Amino acid sequence: MSSLNRYGWNDRLSQLKEESKFHALPHGRVAVVHRTCYEVVAEEGLFVCELTGSMMYGKEDFELPCTGDWVIFQPFDDGKGLIVDMLPRERTLYRKKSGTVADKQVFASYIDKAFIVQSLDDNFNMRRVERFMVQIVEEGIHPVLILNKADLGFDKQATEEAIRHIARAMPVFYTSILLPETIDRLRESIAEGETVVFIGSSGVGKSSLVNALCDKPLLLTSDISHSTGKGRHTSTRREMVLMEGSGVLIDTPGVREFGLAVDNPDSLAGMLEISNYAEACRFKDCTHTNEPGCAVLEAVRKGLLDIKVYESFQKLKREAFHFSSSEHEKRKRDKSFSKMVNEVKRLKGDD
Ligand SMILES: Nc1nc2c(ncn2[C@@H]2O[C@H](COP(=O)(O)OP(=O)(O)O)[C@@H](O)[C@H]2O)c(=O)[nH]1
Ligand SMILES: [Mg+2]
Ligand SMILES: [Zn+2]
Protein backbone atom coordinates (compact mmCIF):
# COMPACT_ATOMS: atom_id res chain seq x y z
CA MET A 1 0.00 0.00 0.00
CA SER A 2 1.27 3.42 -0.92
CA SER A 3 1.83 5.89 1.88
CA LEU A 4 -0.04 8.36 -0.30
CA ASN A 5 -3.26 6.42 0.27
CA ARG A 6 -3.64 8.40 3.46
CA TYR A 7 -3.65 11.48 1.24
CA GLY A 8 -6.41 10.01 -0.89
CA TRP A 9 -4.40 8.18 -3.58
CA ASN A 10 -6.32 5.17 -4.95
CA ASP A 11 -6.59 2.70 -7.84
CA ARG A 12 -8.70 5.04 -9.92
CA LEU A 13 -6.07 7.77 -9.70
CA SER A 14 -3.41 5.19 -10.62
CA GLN A 15 -5.40 4.39 -13.75
CA LEU A 16 -5.75 8.07 -14.61
CA LYS A 17 -2.01 8.46 -14.21
CA GLU A 18 -1.37 5.62 -16.67
CA GLU A 19 -3.01 7.75 -19.35
CA SER A 20 -0.36 10.45 -18.99
CA LYS A 21 2.68 10.25 -21.24
CA PHE A 22 4.70 11.04 -18.10
CA HIS A 23 3.32 8.06 -16.16
CA ALA A 24 6.80 6.70 -15.44
CA LEU A 25 7.62 9.74 -13.27
CA PRO A 26 6.56 10.09 -9.61
CA HIS A 27 3.30 11.75 -8.57
CA GLY A 28 2.23 13.72 -5.54
CA ARG A 29 -0.45 15.98 -4.13
CA VAL A 30 -0.18 19.76 -3.98
CA ALA A 31 -0.23 20.69 -0.28
CA VAL A 32 0.54 24.40 -0.44
CA VAL A 33 0.54 26.89 -3.29
CA HIS A 34 3.05 29.73 -3.10
CA ARG A 35 3.29 32.55 -5.56
CA THR A 36 5.63 30.75 -7.93
CA CYS A 37 6.11 27.29 -6.49
CA TYR A 38 4.19 24.36 -5.11
CA GLU A 39 4.80 22.08 -2.15
CA VAL A 40 4.06 18.56 -3.31
CA VAL A 41 3.65 15.58 -0.95
CA ALA A 42 5.04 12.48 -2.64
CA GLU A 43 6.03 8.92 -1.78
CA GLU A 44 9.60 10.09 -1.22
CA GLY A 45 8.66 13.08 0.93
CA LEU A 46 7.96 16.75 0.33
CA PHE A 47 9.12 18.39 -2.92
CA VAL A 48 9.18 22.07 -3.78
CA CYS A 49 8.16 22.18 -7.41
CA GLU A 50 7.88 24.68 -10.22
CA LEU A 51 5.84 24.42 -13.39
CA THR A 52 7.25 23.70 -16.82
CA GLY A 53 6.55 26.38 -19.41
CA SER A 54 4.15 24.14 -21.26
CA MET A 55 2.13 23.61 -18.07
CA MET A 56 1.65 27.37 -17.83
CA TYR A 57 1.19 28.25 -21.47
CA GLY A 58 -2.24 29.54 -22.46
CA LYS A 59 -3.74 28.70 -19.08
CA GLU A 60 -6.12 30.77 -17.01
CA ASP A 61 -5.20 31.13 -13.32
CA PHE A 62 -7.88 28.71 -12.23
CA GLU A 63 -6.45 26.04 -14.52
CA LEU A 64 -3.05 26.06 -12.82
CA PRO A 65 -2.46 23.51 -10.03
CA CYS A 66 -4.23 24.26 -6.74
CA THR A 67 -4.18 22.70 -3.28
CA GLY A 68 -5.40 19.14 -3.52
CA ASP A 69 -4.46 18.58 -7.17
CA TRP A 70 -2.53 15.44 -8.11
CA VAL A 71 0.51 16.21 -10.23
CA ILE A 72 3.31 14.30 -11.97
CA PHE A 73 6.77 15.75 -11.52
CA GLN A 74 10.39 15.30 -12.50
CA PRO A 75 12.39 15.26 -9.24
CA PHE A 76 15.74 16.93 -8.87
CA ASP A 77 18.19 16.56 -6.03
CA ASP A 78 17.48 17.99 -2.56
CA GLY A 79 13.70 17.87 -2.70
CA LYS A 80 13.11 19.99 -5.79
CA GLY A 81 10.99 19.13 -8.76
CA LEU A 82 9.40 20.26 -11.98
CA ILE A 83 5.67 19.65 -12.50
CA VAL A 84 5.15 18.20 -15.97
CA ASP A 85 1.53 17.09 -15.85
CA MET A 86 -1.62 17.23 -13.76
CA LEU A 87 -4.35 14.61 -13.42
CA PRO A 88 -7.77 15.75 -14.64
CA ARG A 89 -9.54 17.64 -11.88
CA GLU A 90 -12.47 16.24 -9.96
CA ARG A 91 -14.66 17.58 -7.17
CA THR A 92 -13.12 21.03 -7.31
CA LEU A 93 -14.36 24.02 -5.38
CA TYR A 94 -14.57 27.24 -7.38
CA ARG A 95 -16.11 30.60 -6.77
CA LYS A 96 -16.85 33.43 -9.11
CA LYS A 97 -14.25 36.15 -8.71
CA SER A 98 -15.85 39.34 -7.50
CA GLY A 99 -16.20 42.11 -10.03
CA THR A 100 -15.59 39.92 -13.05
CA VAL A 101 -18.02 38.44 -15.49
CA ALA A 102 -17.35 34.74 -15.71
CA ASP A 103 -13.91 34.45 -14.20
CA LYS A 104 -13.57 31.88 -11.50
CA GLN A 105 -11.12 31.30 -8.72
CA VAL A 106 -10.15 27.83 -7.61
CA PHE A 107 -9.92 26.84 -3.94
CA ALA A 108 -9.03 23.18 -3.83
CA SER A 109 -9.63 19.94 -5.69
CA TYR A 110 -10.33 16.28 -5.02
CA ILE A 111 -12.53 17.26 -2.11
CA ASP A 112 -14.91 14.79 -0.51
CA LYS A 113 -16.53 17.06 2.04
CA ALA A 114 -16.78 20.80 2.48
CA PHE A 115 -17.24 22.05 6.03
CA ILE A 116 -19.22 25.28 5.81
CA VAL A 117 -18.16 26.95 9.05
CA GLN A 118 -20.20 29.69 10.69
CA SER A 119 -19.99 30.89 14.26
CA LEU A 120 -23.06 31.07 16.44
CA ASP A 121 -22.72 34.78 17.02
CA ASP A 122 -23.50 37.53 14.52
CA ASN A 123 -21.86 35.48 11.82
CA PHE A 124 -24.63 32.91 11.49
CA ASN A 125 -26.42 33.59 8.22
CA MET A 126 -28.57 31.01 6.51
CA ARG A 127 -28.54 32.81 3.15
CA ARG A 128 -24.77 32.47 3.02
CA VAL A 129 -25.01 28.78 3.93
CA GLU A 130 -27.37 28.22 1.00
CA ARG A 131 -24.99 30.02 -1.32
CA PHE A 132 -22.05 27.83 -0.26
CA MET A 133 -24.18 24.70 -0.38
CA VAL A 134 -25.37 25.26 -3.93
CA GLN A 135 -21.82 25.67 -5.22
CA ILE A 136 -20.56 22.65 -3.29
CA VAL A 137 -23.31 20.29 -4.39
CA GLU A 138 -22.88 21.46 -7.99
CA GLU A 139 -19.31 20.11 -7.88
CA GLY A 140 -20.34 16.74 -6.44
CA ILE A 141 -18.86 17.53 -3.01
CA HIS A 142 -20.76 16.68 0.20
CA PRO A 143 -21.68 19.77 2.23
CA VAL A 144 -21.54 19.71 6.04
CA LEU A 145 -22.68 22.62 8.20
CA ILE A 146 -20.48 23.42 11.20
CA LEU A 147 -21.95 25.84 13.71
CA ASN A 148 -18.94 26.81 15.80
CA LYS A 149 -18.47 28.69 19.08
CA ALA A 150 -21.34 26.74 20.66
CA ASP A 151 -19.87 27.72 24.02
CA LEU A 152 -21.16 31.25 23.44
CA GLY A 153 -24.75 31.92 24.30
CA PHE A 154 -27.10 31.45 21.33
CA ASP A 155 -30.76 30.84 20.67
CA LYS A 156 -30.89 27.12 19.96
CA GLN A 157 -34.56 27.13 18.98
CA ALA A 158 -34.21 29.98 16.49
CA THR A 159 -31.13 28.32 15.00
CA GLU A 160 -32.89 24.97 14.58
CA GLU A 161 -35.79 26.78 12.94
CA ALA A 162 -33.47 28.60 10.50
CA ILE A 163 -31.65 25.46 9.38
CA ARG A 164 -34.69 23.19 9.19
CA HIS A 165 -35.05 23.32 5.40
CA ILE A 166 -31.46 22.24 4.75
CA ALA A 167 -30.99 19.81 7.63
CA ARG A 168 -32.06 16.96 5.37
CA ALA A 169 -29.61 17.98 2.65
CA MET A 170 -26.57 18.05 4.90
CA PRO A 171 -25.34 16.94 8.32
CA VAL A 172 -25.09 19.67 10.96
CA PHE A 173 -22.56 19.78 13.80
CA TYR A 174 -22.52 22.16 16.76
CA THR A 175 -18.91 22.60 17.79
CA SER A 176 -16.68 24.52 20.15
CA ILE A 177 -12.94 24.33 20.53
CA LEU A 178 -13.65 24.60 24.29
CA LEU A 179 -15.86 21.48 24.30
CA PRO A 180 -13.63 18.51 23.36
CA GLU A 181 -16.52 16.08 22.92
CA THR A 182 -17.89 18.22 20.06
CA ILE A 183 -14.50 18.04 18.35
CA ASP A 184 -14.31 14.26 18.87
CA ARG A 185 -17.69 13.82 17.21
CA LEU A 186 -16.53 15.87 14.23
CA ARG A 187 -13.28 13.90 13.99
CA GLU A 188 -15.19 10.61 13.93
CA SER A 189 -17.14 11.81 10.90
CA ILE A 190 -13.96 11.98 8.81
CA ALA A 191 -12.65 8.76 7.27
CA GLU A 192 -9.09 7.85 6.32
CA GLY A 193 -8.11 9.09 2.88
CA GLU A 194 -11.01 11.55 2.85
CA THR A 195 -10.36 15.21 2.00
CA VAL A 196 -12.19 17.97 3.84
CA VAL A 197 -12.04 21.66 2.98
CA PHE A 198 -13.00 24.36 5.51
CA ILE A 199 -14.75 27.42 4.14
CA GLY A 200 -16.39 30.43 5.74
CA SER A 201 -15.77 34.01 6.80
CA SER A 202 -12.63 35.05 8.56
CA GLY A 203 -12.84 34.74 12.35
CA VAL A 204 -15.40 31.92 12.57
CA GLY A 205 -12.78 29.46 13.80
CA LYS A 206 -11.72 27.44 10.74
CA SER A 207 -8.04 27.32 11.66
CA SER A 208 -8.87 26.72 15.34
CA LEU A 209 -11.02 23.74 14.35
CA VAL A 210 -8.30 22.31 12.11
CA ASN A 211 -5.85 22.61 14.99
CA ALA A 212 -8.26 21.09 17.49
CA LEU A 213 -8.98 18.16 15.16
CA CYS A 214 -5.25 17.55 14.74
CA ASP A 215 -4.64 17.71 18.47
CA LYS A 216 -1.61 19.91 17.98
CA PRO A 217 -1.34 23.48 16.74
CA LEU A 218 -0.16 23.33 13.15
CA LEU A 219 -1.73 26.42 11.68
CA LEU A 220 -1.51 29.94 12.96
CA THR A 221 -4.91 31.16 14.03
CA SER A 222 -6.13 34.62 13.03
CA ASP A 223 -5.09 36.38 9.89
CA ILE A 224 -1.80 37.62 11.35
CA SER A 225 -0.18 34.71 9.55
CA HIS A 226 -1.15 36.27 6.26
CA SER A 227 0.27 39.70 7.01
CA THR A 228 3.39 41.08 5.41
CA GLY A 229 5.73 43.92 6.36
CA LYS A 230 3.54 46.17 4.26
CA GLY A 231 0.52 45.55 6.45
CA ARG A 232 -2.29 43.08 6.25
CA HIS A 233 -3.44 41.48 3.07
CA THR A 234 -5.22 38.27 2.28
CA SER A 235 -2.88 35.78 0.80
CA THR A 236 -3.91 33.02 -1.58
CA ARG A 237 -1.95 30.53 0.50
CA ARG A 238 -3.87 27.39 1.38
CA GLU A 239 -2.87 24.83 3.94
CA MET A 240 -3.26 21.09 3.84
CA VAL A 241 -2.71 18.91 6.89
CA LEU A 242 -2.93 15.17 7.45
CA MET A 243 -4.87 14.02 10.50
CA GLU A 244 -3.35 11.15 12.43
CA GLY A 245 -5.04 7.93 11.32
CA SER A 246 -7.67 9.84 9.41
CA GLY A 247 -8.32 12.30 6.61
CA VAL A 248 -6.77 15.35 4.97
CA LEU A 249 -7.87 18.82 6.09
CA ILE A 250 -7.56 21.92 3.92
CA ASP A 251 -7.85 25.31 5.58
CA THR A 252 -8.68 28.39 3.50
CA PRO A 253 -8.48 32.09 4.31
CA GLY A 254 -11.82 33.73 4.99
CA VAL A 255 -14.11 34.55 2.11
CA ARG A 256 -16.74 37.15 2.71
CA GLU A 257 -18.36 36.90 -0.68
CA PHE A 258 -18.94 33.69 -2.48
CA GLY A 259 -20.09 34.38 -6.02
CA LEU A 260 -21.75 31.43 -7.69
CA ALA A 261 -19.86 29.74 -10.51
CA VAL A 262 -22.66 27.32 -11.30
CA ASP A 263 -23.40 26.07 -14.80
CA ASN A 264 -26.78 24.58 -14.21
CA PRO A 265 -29.17 27.03 -12.53
CA ASP A 266 -32.00 24.48 -12.75
CA SER A 267 -30.38 22.22 -10.17
CA LEU A 268 -30.98 24.89 -7.52
CA ALA A 269 -34.62 24.03 -6.96
CA GLY A 270 -33.86 20.52 -5.75
CA MET A 271 -31.22 21.69 -3.32
CA LEU A 272 -33.44 24.22 -1.62
CA GLU A 273 -36.42 21.85 -1.60
CA ILE A 274 -38.34 24.16 -3.95
CA SER A 275 -38.86 21.22 -6.29
CA ASN A 276 -40.99 19.45 -3.67
CA TYR A 277 -43.65 22.08 -4.38
CA ALA A 278 -42.77 22.80 -8.01
CA GLU A 279 -44.00 19.37 -9.09
CA ALA A 280 -47.54 20.62 -8.55
CA CYS A 281 -47.19 23.83 -10.62
CA ARG A 282 -49.66 24.08 -13.50
CA PHE A 283 -46.94 24.84 -16.08
CA LYS A 284 -43.95 22.60 -16.52
CA ASP A 285 -41.65 25.55 -17.23
CA CYS A 286 -43.05 27.63 -14.36
CA THR A 287 -40.58 30.24 -13.12
CA HIS A 288 -42.48 30.56 -9.85
CA THR A 289 -42.65 34.33 -10.16
CA ASN A 290 -46.15 35.26 -11.38
CA GLU A 291 -47.71 32.25 -13.12
CA PRO A 292 -51.25 31.18 -12.29
CA GLY A 293 -51.42 27.82 -10.56
CA CYS A 294 -47.88 28.14 -9.19
CA ALA A 295 -47.60 25.72 -6.26
CA VAL A 296 -44.37 27.31 -5.03
CA LEU A 297 -45.97 30.74 -4.59
CA GLU A 298 -48.93 28.98 -3.02
CA ALA A 299 -46.63 27.30 -0.51
CA VAL A 300 -45.11 30.68 0.33
CA ARG A 301 -48.57 32.18 0.77
CA LYS A 302 -49.61 29.36 3.07
CA GLY A 303 -46.41 29.71 5.09
CA LEU A 304 -45.22 26.19 4.22
CA LEU A 305 -42.20 27.57 2.42
CA ASP A 306 -40.25 30.31 4.20
CA ILE A 307 -40.41 33.47 2.10
CA LYS A 308 -36.73 34.09 2.85
CA VAL A 309 -35.82 30.70 1.34
CA TYR A 310 -37.97 31.51 -1.68
CA GLU A 311 -36.29 34.90 -2.18
CA SER A 312 -32.89 33.35 -1.71
CA PHE A 313 -33.74 30.77 -4.37
CA GLN A 314 -34.80 33.44 -6.89
CA LYS A 315 -31.69 35.49 -6.21
CA LEU A 316 -29.31 32.52 -6.54
CA LYS A 317 -31.08 31.40 -9.69
CA ARG A 318 -30.63 34.81 -11.34
CA GLU A 319 -26.99 34.84 -10.36
CA ALA A 320 -26.34 31.30 -11.60
CA PHE A 321 -28.15 32.05 -14.84
CA HIS A 322 -26.03 35.15 -15.33
CA PHE A 323 -22.83 33.19 -14.71
CA SER A 324 -23.71 30.30 -16.98
CA SER A 325 -24.74 32.54 -19.86
CA SER A 326 -21.61 34.68 -19.63
CA GLU A 327 -19.52 31.49 -19.31
CA HIS A 328 -21.21 30.24 -22.45
CA GLU A 329 -20.38 33.48 -24.29
CA LYS A 330 -16.80 33.24 -23.14
CA ARG A 331 -16.41 29.66 -24.37
CA LYS A 332 -17.79 30.69 -27.72
CA ARG A 333 -15.28 33.55 -27.87
CA ASP A 334 -12.38 31.27 -26.84
CA LYS A 335 -13.43 28.77 -29.47
CA SER A 336 -13.51 31.28 -32.29
CA PHE A 337 -10.19 32.70 -31.08
CA SER A 338 -8.43 29.33 -31.17
CA LYS A 339 -10.02 28.68 -34.55
CA MET A 340 -8.47 31.93 -35.79
CA VAL A 341 -5.06 31.01 -34.33
CA ASN A 342 -5.18 27.64 -36.05
CA GLU A 343 -6.15 29.27 -39.31
CA VAL A 344 -3.19 31.67 -39.08
CA LYS A 345 -0.87 28.76 -38.26
CA ARG A 346 -2.18 26.84 -41.23
CA LEU A 347 -1.64 29.78 -43.57
CA LYS A 348 1.90 30.21 -42.24
CA GLY A 349 2.49 26.48 -42.70
CA ASP A 350 3.35 25.89 -39.01
CA ASP A 351 1.34 22.74 -38.65
N1 LIG B 1 -15.41 31.16 22.12
C1 LIG B 1 -14.88 30.52 21.09
N2 LIG B 1 -13.92 31.12 20.35
C2 LIG B 1 -13.40 30.46 19.29
C3 LIG B 1 -13.84 29.15 18.94
N3 LIG B 1 -13.16 28.78 17.82
C4 LIG B 1 -12.33 29.80 17.51
N4 LIG B 1 -12.46 30.83 18.39
C5 LIG B 1 -11.73 32.11 18.37
O1 LIG B 1 -12.12 32.86 17.24
C6 LIG B 1 -11.03 33.62 16.72
C7 LIG B 1 -10.82 33.33 15.25
O2 LIG B 1 -10.40 31.99 15.08
P1 LIG B 1 -9.63 31.48 13.78
O3 LIG B 1 -9.44 30.01 13.94
O4 LIG B 1 -8.43 32.29 13.49
O5 LIG B 1 -10.72 31.77 12.67
P2 LIG B 1 -10.59 31.64 11.06
O6 LIG B 1 -10.34 33.00 10.54
O7 LIG B 1 -11.91 31.11 10.60
O8 LIG B 1 -9.49 30.68 10.76
C8 LIG B 1 -9.83 33.25 17.57
O9 LIG B 1 -9.65 34.25 18.54
C9 LIG B 1 -10.23 31.93 18.21
O10 LIG B 1 -9.62 31.73 19.46
C10 LIG B 1 -14.86 28.54 19.75
O11 LIG B 1 -15.31 27.41 19.53
N5 LIG B 1 -15.34 29.27 20.79
MG1 LIG C 1 -7.78 30.99 9.55
ZN1 LIG D 1 -44.37 27.55 -10.00
Side-chain angles (χ1 to χ4, degrees):
M1 192 172 115
S2 148
S3 69
L4 285 177
N5 284 43
R6 290 187 304 156
Y7 280 93
W9 186 254
N10 56 33
D11 292 346
R12 231 184 63 69
L13 288 167
S14 290
Q15 278 166 17
L16 279 178
K17 186 188 174 188
E18 284 308 306
E19 287 164 27
S20 166
K21 63 177 169 186
F22 297 104
H23 64 87
L25 291 172
H27 59 268
R29 194 166 192 196
V30 175
V32 184
V33 177
H34 298 287
R35 214 167 283 281
T36 58
C37 65
Y38 301 81
E39 288 178 32
V40 175
V41 193
E43 210 72 72
E44 305 289 319
L46 195 67
F47 287 78
V48 176
C49 297
E50 289 183 25
L51 290 179
T52 57
S54 64
M55 279 289 294
M56 282 185 284
Y57 185 73
K59 295 252 172 70
E60 303 264 5
D61 278 352
F62 70 84
E63 293 171 309
L64 298 176
C66 68
T67 306
D69 270 330
W70 288 97
V71 295
I72 301 176
F73 65 99
Q74 170 71 63
F76 294 108
D77 32 33
D78 60 19
K80 292 209 183 76
L82 202 55
I83 295 174
V84 294
D85 204 1
M86 185 172 135
L87 299 193
R89 264 188 194 151
E90 291 176 6
R91 304 190 308 278
T92 308
L93 190 62
Y94 294 101
R95 75 158 165 170
K96 181 179 159 307
K97 266 200 228 164
S98 50
T100 56
V101 187
D103 244 359
K104 47 190 184 179
Q105 181 189 0
V106 62
F107 278 87
S109 69
Y110 284 97
I111 301 165
D112 298 296
K113 287 177 183 162
F115 284 4
I116 304 168
V117 187
Q118 296 206 333
S119 53
L120 286 159
D121 46 22
D122 313 347
N123 179 260
F124 176 64
N125 180 322
M126 204 49 223
R127 305 288 86 80
R128 270 210 309 263
V129 174
E130 287 159 0
R131 176 171 287 273
F132 279 121
M133 179 179 83
V134 161
Q135 186 71 44
I136 289 162
V137 172
E138 165 86 3
E139 306 296 340
I141 301 164
H142 294 287
V144 178
L145 178 59
I146 311 290
L147 298 171
N148 193 37
K149 307 199 187 182
D151 55 287
L152 303 178
F154 70 99
D155 187 338
K156 179 97 185 212
Q157 207 186 335
T159 311
E160 293 282 322
E161 191 67 21
I163 64 173
R164 207 181 39 173
H165 69 292
I166 53 93
R168 254 196 294 156
M170 64 173 132
V172 180
F173 287 85
Y174 289 88
T175 60
S176 163
I177 54 163
L178 305 174
L179 304 168
E181 66 276 13
T182 65
I183 303 298
D184 293 343
R185 234 174 284 142
L186 194 58
R187 193 185 295 112
E188 282 159 21
S189 76
I190 304 166
E192 188 172 70
E194 208 166 52
T195 301
V196 180
V197 69
F198 288 66
I199 48 174
S201 318
S202 164
V204 295
K206 296 180 297 299
S207 304
S208 306
L209 283 170
V210 171
N211 286 339
L213 286 165
C214 288
D215 251 351
K216 46 182 185 270
L218 294 163
L219 303 171
L220 289 175
T221 47
S222 105
D223 283 336
I224 302 297
S225 57
H226 300 309
S227 67
T228 65
K230 290 188 195 111
R232 282 186 180 208
H233 78 130
T234 313
S235 128
T236 52
R237 196 178 144 96
R238 314 262 184 270
E239 304 269 3
M240 179 196 278
V241 294
L242 182 66
M243 273 165 75
E244 228 174 277
S246 184
V248 175
L249 309 182
I250 298 176
D251 193 14
T252 67
V255 282
R256 222 164 1 131
E257 269 195 350
F258 202 87
L260 287 193
V262 168
D263 266 338
N264 177 16
D266 295 334
S267 63
L268 281 167
M271 291 173 216
L272 298 179
E273 303 206 339
I274 302 285
S275 54
N276 292 356
Y277 303 103
E279 281 163 15
C281 290
R282 185 178 306 162
F283 303 111
K284 241 188 140 168
D285 57 351
C286 187
T287 63
H288 325 303
T289 47
N290 52 18
E291 292 88 343
C294 173
V296 173
L297 289 173
E298 183 63 20
V300 173
R301 235 174 273 126
K302 283 189 181 149
L304 297 170
L305 177 64
D306 187 346
I307 181 137
K308 292 211 196 73
V309 175
Y310 169 80
E311 285 167 352
S312 174
F313 163 72
Q314 291 293 7
K315 183 160 184 280
L316 291 171
K317 199 167 84 163
R318 275 196 299 277
E319 195 178 315
F321 182 77
H322 185 68
F323 178 83
S324 71
S325 51
S326 55
E327 181 87 331
H328 190 75
E329 280 304 308
K330 196 159 157 274
R331 277 187 211 138
K332 261 198 341 218
R333 270 205 313 275
D334 289 353
K335 236 186 186 163
S336 60
F337 179 72
S338 61
K339 230 163 125 185
M340 187 187 80
V341 170
N342 287 336
E343 184 68 5
V344 170
K345 271 193 190 159
R346 196 181 59 82
L347 291 174
K348 280 170 64 191
D350 282 3
D351 269 0

